[in-house]
Amino acid sequence: MPELQELPEDNIFQAYGILLLENKHRFVKKLKKHYTPSIHGHKTWNSSFLLMDYFLHKQLLNNKQRVLELGCGWGPTSIFCAHHAGCKVTGTDRDDEVFPFLELQAALNQVEITTESISFEKLTKKHLTDYDIVFGTDICFWDDLAKIHYNLINRAKKAGVKHVLLADPGRQPFFDLAERVLTKHDAELLDWYCTEPEYFEGYILHVKL
Ligand SMILES: C[S@@+](CC[C@H](N)C(=O)[O-])C[C@H]1O[C@@H](n2cnc3c(N)ncnc32)[C@H](O)[C@@H]1O
């Protein structure tokens, strides 16, 4: 990891080989005058670094894979997949106000991410057929989301998706989801930690379909 003074300017940080922007960055401040994410998609969340670390550790990614991110927000993990492994990535989110922030960060890292405004509930089996890996970070934060993601994982299996991965700081709805998924699918719930941009602990639910 380079020393801070090697970064191009203030309020940019590096993690797992990609550059990301703080809320205080001058371009982020400008975007915030026009776009207001309203379902917690107002920053990069730490669970995204857990999944980057897990992807590296398990060597799950390659440039043949088509990957879909659920609730991508500013898209840190989508950007990582495109940058690190050359995956073809689609970032989805119900809140289309997040996409300008994703596009800014994608441009900073010289990758292209396809974006689509769609909710978890509306992603059909037909939709999911186009993907090998489906993942999301910190997207199971309300009670009703446990059931919504459980149903989504079942649709992903029918669609032929190979892996569903969710990273989470350890919220109760995520554990409720994990409990149901572990009884139905070949899945693992793992304690995980990452070390970039700083130490952070959480969980990975890895469903092998
Ligand atoms: C806590 S943020 C996490 C953002 C990003 N994954 C990260 O780790 O930085 C949750 C994201 O899920 C999106 N979201 C919430 N409910 C959703 C739904 N029903 N369908 C699709 N996206 C949703 C929000 O707009 C937001 O971008």
Side-chain angles (χ1 to χ4, degrees):
M1 186 158 162
E3 297 297 319
L4 257 183
Q5 61 263 30
E6 290 174 33
L7 292 171
E9 60 177 288
D10 289 345
N11 303 315
I12 290 185
F13 63 99
Q14 191 183 44
Y16 295 99
I18 60 170
L19 293 170
L20 296 166
L21 301 174
E22 307 273 7
N23 262 288
K24 284 183 290 185
H25 189 272
R26 62 200 171 104
F27 289 166
V28 171
K29 281 187 179 167
K30 284 201 168 137
L31 282 181
K32 288 205 165 186
K33 290 187 179 148
H34 303 281
Y35 304 98
T36 312
S38 57
I39 334 172
H40 303 304
H42 59 280
K43 65 172 191 173
T44 288
W45 290 79
N46 282 336
S47 297
S48 57
F49 306 118
L50 291 175
L51 193 54
M52 292 177 204
D53 193 278
Y54 186 78
F55 275 141
L56 277 180
H57 190 81
K58 296 284 177 184
Q59 301 193 334
L60 272 177
L61 302 173
N62 65 57
N63 64 4
K64 304 256 183 326
Q65 283 153 340
R66 302 152 308 159
V67 308
L68 177 129
E69 177 161 14
L70 305 162
C72 60
W74 292 15
T77 318
S78 286
I79 292 165
F80 171 82
C81 293
H83 188 268
H84 170 71
C87 299
K88 192 167 181 295
V89 188
T90 301
T92 64
D93 203 292
R94 187 169 87 186
D95 182 359
D96 59 8
E97 300 269 308
V98 300
F99 296 134
F101 301 90
L102 179 152
E103 274 150 20
L104 174 59
Q105 297 205 109
L108 180 64
N109 289 284
Q110 299 178 296
V111 295
E112 285 190 21
I113 308 293
T114 302
T115 58
E116 186 172 351
S117 178
I118 187 164
S119 67
F120 308 135
E121 303 89 318
K122 296 257 164 68
L123 278 165
T124 61
K125 178 184 150 198
K126 183 166 180 287
H127 216 117
L128 295 164
T129 307
D130 294 336
Y131 299 97
D132 306 300
I133 297 179
V134 172
F135 66 84
T137 64
D138 209 340
I139 56 162
C140 198
F141 47 86
W142 289 329
D143 289 347
D144 61 341
L145 286 169
K147 186 172 179 203
I148 286 169
H149 288 309
Y150 180 75
N151 292 337
L152 175 55
I153 290 166
N154 292 337
R155 294 199 297 284
K157 182 178 174 76
K158 288 184 190 145
V161 172
K162 307 277 188 308
H163 300 269
V164 175
L165 300 111
L166 300 180
D168 197 89
R171 304 184 198 284
Q172 191 55 47
F174 171 81
F175 290 128
D176 296 342
L177 169 67
E179 198 180 318
R180 286 188 78 184
V181 168
L182 288 165
T183 60
K184 168 136 181 178
H185 296 289
D186 177 9
E188 280 183 290
L189 176 64
L190 300 136
D191 292 334
W192 206 257
Y193 70 88
C194 56
T195 53
E196 298 180 29
E198 58 191 14
Y199 184 85
F200 178 72
E201 289 177 349
Y203 300 86
I204 303 283
L205 178 63
H206 184 172
V207 194
K208 296 155 201 168
L209 297 171

